[in-house]
Amino acid sequence: TDLVKIDVHLTHDGYPVLTDEHLVATPGSAPRPVEEMSLAELASARRDVDSRVPTLIEVLAEFRARDVPNLLVEATAPQAALAADTLLRERGFADQLVFTGPPEALDALRGRSSRARLLMLQDQPGLPPDDVLRTVRPDFLGTHHSLLTREVITEMRGFGFGVAAWSVNELPDMARLVGMGVDAVATERVVDLVPLTRGNRE
C-alpha cells in the first residue's frame, strides 16, 4: 500500500497543522517552535494566503473521503499525535493511518489504542531497547537503509516487526532493498521505485 507522509504539529491554541518546519518566524521576530505559536501567529508568518501553513482539517476538506490517500503521519509530540489521531478517526480514516515520531508520541498513541499502527524509526543498528519495544509495541521498525542487511531484516521479522527502509533515493539502493524483501521504502523518487515494486508490497 502506498503512503503519503504528512508532518503534523499542534499550535499553542490546539490546532493540528501541516508543516515540515519545526521553527517558524513571524515578521520582525526570531524563529519559534510551532507549538509555541497560535494559529493566528502562524498565519502571519506567511506573506500570502496561498503559502500559509494549513490546518489538518482544511486539507481534509479539500478531498472527498474516498479520495484521501493512506497516510504516514509524523508527529513530534504526544499532544500533536493524539490530536491528529482524534481528528482523522472522527472522519473515518482509522484504517488509512500509520503514525511515526519519537517514542513518547508513539507511546501516547499506543496507550489510546492497541490497534493503532505505529512505525518506530531508528538510526542505530539492531533493535530498539526492550523496554521501549514492550511499551510502544510498534508494527514496523524503520531503519536507515545503510544499516539494513539480510541478517538485520531477518532478526526484525523474527520478532514480528515489519521492516521499513528510509531515505532511499538512489536506484541501486532501492533495488537492493526490494530484493532483500523490506516491507516499505521511504523515498522522494517514487517514479523510480514503482517499477521495482510491482507485485510486491511498497
Side-chain angles (χ1 to χ4, degrees):
T1 300
D2 296 326
L3 295 170
V4 175
K5 180 177 177 289
I6 60 174
D7 295 85
V8 177
H9 295 264
L10 193 67
T11 63
H12 186 66
D13 47 354
Y15 290 91
V17 295
L18 302 188
T19 177
D20 58 2
E21 298 177 76
H22 296 284
L23 299 174
V24 175
T26 54
S29 301
R32 296 161 56 201
V34 173
E35 290 76 10
E36 295 180 5
M37 304 174 71
S38 69
L39 185 62
E41 289 176 310
L42 197 58
S44 73
R46 299 292 185 264
R47 293 183 180 275
D48 57 78
V49 172
D50 290 338
S51 64
R52 70 182 175 82
V53 174
T55 65
L56 177 56
I57 197 166
E58 286 173 332
V59 172
L60 292 176
E62 295 292 322
F63 295 88
R64 292 176 297 180
R66 67 175 181 272
D67 293 332
V68 173
N70 294 314
L71 298 174
L72 174 61
V73 183
E74 180 167 0
T76 58
Q79 296 85 353
L82 292 172
D85 180 64
T86 297
L87 185 58
L88 289 161
R89 287 178 183 277
E90 284 176 349
R91 281 153 180 77
F93 304 127
D95 294 333
Q96 296 167 243
L97 306 177
V98 177
F99 276 87
T100 190
E104 56 269 24
L106 299 183
D107 185 31
L109 290 162
R110 179 59 74 215
R112 169 178 282 182
S113 172
S114 62
R115 299 180 63 185
R117 297 171 67 203
L118 306 178
L119 164 63
M120 177 172 284
L121 298 177
Q122 57 179 9
D123 56 6
Q124 301 294 327
L127 297 172
D130 288 344
D131 58 332
V132 175
L133 290 176
R134 281 195 301 271
T135 302
V136 174
R137 304 192 309 279
D139 302 274
F140 301 93
L141 294 179
T143 302
H144 191 270
H145 69 88
S146 64
L147 300 175
L148 286 173
T149 63
R150 289 188 186 277
E151 291 73 22
V152 170
I153 293 170
T154 298
E155 180 184 21
M156 290 178 175
R157 285 244 177 84
F159 283 93
F161 303 115
V163 182
W166 47 271
S167 298
V168 189
N169 292 318
E170 299 299 327
L171 188 58
D173 293 325
M174 293 180 194
R176 175 179 67 88
L177 291 158
V178 170
M180 290 193 299
V182 297
D183 298 284
V185 174
T187 183
E188 297 174 1
R189 297 175 58 180
V190 177
V191 172
D192 291 337
L193 178 63
V194 168
L196 297 174
T197 56
R198 285 183 178 147
N200 298 309
R201 287 176 290 177
E202 296 177 41

